[in-house]
Amino acid sequence: ILLTDVDRRILAANDRCIAAYGYTREELLTMRIDDLRTPEENSRLAQPWEQLDKNQALLYATIPRRRDGSTFPAESSVRLIEQNGQSFYQSIVRDITERHQNEQRIRRLSQLYRLLFHINEAIVRARTEDELFRDTCRLIVEEGDFKQAWITLKDPVSGLLRPHIGNGTPPPTPTDTSGPAGLCMRLGQP
């Protein structure tokens, strides 16, 4: 929680704020709230802050900057407070890093479920094993956002794992069965 005057000079900060930003209380009290954001963020937020005087409350996403220069995603709730004829801004800044990470995980899982759906369609449509392999590799790269995908088969004579069909470059080189893929094959497990 930060309390600022109408010129956005920091007047008070709670202990969580001090810990989050990495400044001492004394340092924070010499700063403006704009000093806690990158110049790009300050430019982006100029217009919403102008609306604060009209609406007396504002909720926005921002990217604060810590003392060490690192940044983090945050949600800031600001309201105008009147006390003894003076106006102040109270800002509650919430670190939403964990929320962003969870949202990214959900997006990635959704993307992988879509990929699985498309591969299931390819299984139904494929007329040959090679067509299925080719479509699967293509889908993994195009829909799954992987750099490459290869179907590797075990050579029955040499025992080497050899790239059969793939999408992406360069193709893997034949390997013995001591790597992760070989271990999976020997154990019969993913």
Side-chain angles (χ1 to χ4, degrees):
I1 298 174
L2 289 163
L3 184 67
T4 67
D5 64 15
V6 291
D7 293 324
R8 300 200 292 244
R9 287 188 301 259
I10 298 172
L11 303 174
N14 70 350
D15 292 340
R16 297 268 322 251
C17 178
I18 292 165
Y21 284 99
Y23 291 98
T24 66
R25 187 178 314 278
E26 293 74 25
E27 289 172 318
L28 282 172
L29 297 180
T30 66
M31 300 170 70
R32 297 178 74 235
I33 199 164
D34 299 349
D35 297 329
L36 301 176
R37 294 190 295 261
T38 64
E40 298 80 22
E41 273 298 283
N42 284 323
S43 295
R44 187 181 71 80
L45 295 172
Q47 188 174 12
W49 268 85
E50 290 170 7
Q51 295 172 5
L52 180 59
D53 291 328
K54 264 192 296 187
N55 302 334
Q56 298 192 348
L58 178 65
L59 178 66
Y60 61 94
T62 185
I63 303 175
R65 181 176 52 189
R66 296 182 182 97
R67 183 174 195 220
D68 65 8
S70 64
T71 59
F72 60 97
E75 179 180 83
S76 187
S77 172
V78 184
R79 68 184 181 115
L80 184 63
I81 300 172
E82 300 285 338
Q83 188 165 16
N84 298 331
Q86 288 188 298
S87 297
F88 302 95
Y89 294 123
Q90 179 190 33
S91 298
I92 300 173
V93 181
R94 291 174 193 86
D95 183 336
I96 57 173
T97 301
E98 188 175 333
R99 182 192 312 171
H100 272 223
Q101 290 168 342
N102 289 336
E103 288 169 353
Q104 288 173 342
R105 275 189 222 108
I106 290 168
R107 278 193 294 276
R108 183 62 178 155
L109 288 173
S110 295
Q111 182 181 31
L112 293 175
Y113 281 124
R114 279 192 307 278
L115 170 62
L116 183 58
F117 172 79
H118 289 297
I119 288 174
N120 285 335
E121 285 182 329
I123 290 169
V124 172
R125 285 192 319 267
R127 286 175 259 143
T128 66
E129 188 176 77
D130 279 354
E131 182 181 348
L132 173 61
F133 290 167
R134 217 177 350 270
D135 285 347
T136 299
C137 290
R138 179 186 56 77
L139 288 166
I140 288 170
V141 171
E142 292 174 6
E143 299 289 332
D145 199 27
F146 288 87
K147 291 185 190 231
Q148 62 180 352
W150 290 87
I151 303 292
T152 303
L153 302 176
K154 182 177 178 182
D155 184 306
V157 176
S158 68
L160 293 176
L161 299 176
R162 297 198 180 273
H164 180 66
I165 290 177
N167 190 334
T169 55
T173 57
T175 62
D176 63 23
T177 57
S178 63
L183 182 61
C184 291
M185 287 183 66
R186 283 197 313 279
L187 297 175
Q189 298 177 357

